[in-house]
Amino acid sequence: MIIYKQFSFDSAHFLPNVPVGHKCGNMHGHTYLLNVYIEGMPDEKSGWIIDYADLKKAIKPVIEQLDHHLLNEIPGLENPTSENLSIWLWNKIKPLVAGLKKIELKETPSSGVIYEGN
């Protein structure tokens, strides 16, 4: 069984390695949506894989590092593509949440990344 919880954060960034004149080379922002998927079987007593409140509490410090910040200034996100941001998020979340299966990061309603770790 897989459960998920969605988080959102607003961040600015620019992509330093795009060709000259590419619009993503300019500073801009996104309202990112992050879905965190946890795999497991429900506990016999609680009926939960994880309490959503506990999941929210575990993820909150990670989101706070990103929300209303310039991603390029965060160590490890000097080239903050959605792909690189997904890897960064995975590496921060994996030690905090047992059963992490995958994450889905949307930078726009129609564009995003699904990352299942390495």
Side-chain angles (χ1 to χ4, degrees):
M1 183 177 295
I2 299 172
I3 64 165
Y4 70 93
K5 181 147 185 69
Q6 187 172 85
F7 303 87
S8 67
F9 58 95
D10 298 294
S11 300
H13 74 150
F14 62 91
L15 300 183
N17 299 328
V18 296
V20 173
H22 191 288
K23 68 179 184 176
C24 292
N26 296 323
M27 179 87 65
H28 63 284
H30 297 283
T31 297
Y32 291 92
L33 293 178
L34 172 67
N35 288 323
V36 177
Y37 295 85
I38 310 299
E39 183 174 44
M41 292 304 295
D43 177 78
E44 287 187 26
K45 184 176 180 183
S46 70
W48 294 332
I49 294 171
I50 185 173
D51 183 336
Y52 288 115
D54 291 340
L55 181 56
K56 183 178 178 181
K57 184 178 178 182
I59 303 296
K60 183 179 178 185
V62 176
I63 298 299
E64 287 177 343
Q65 292 178 58
L66 305 172
D67 192 39
H68 287 81
H69 286 89
L70 175 59
L71 297 179
N72 301 72
E73 294 178 348
I74 297 171
L77 291 176
E78 293 80 9
N79 182 25
T81 63
S82 289
E83 295 87 343
N84 288 339
L85 181 53
S86 294
I87 294 168
W88 186 93
L89 282 161
W90 178 273
N91 290 335
K92 296 290 184 182
I93 295 169
K94 181 70 173 164
L96 304 174
V97 180
L100 182 62
K101 174 70 174 170
K102 67 180 178 179
I103 61 172
E104 180 180 9
L105 180 67
K106 289 184 161 191
E107 73 172 33
T108 71
S110 61
S111 301
V113 176
I114 295 172
Y115 186 59
E116 297 180 346
N118 50 3

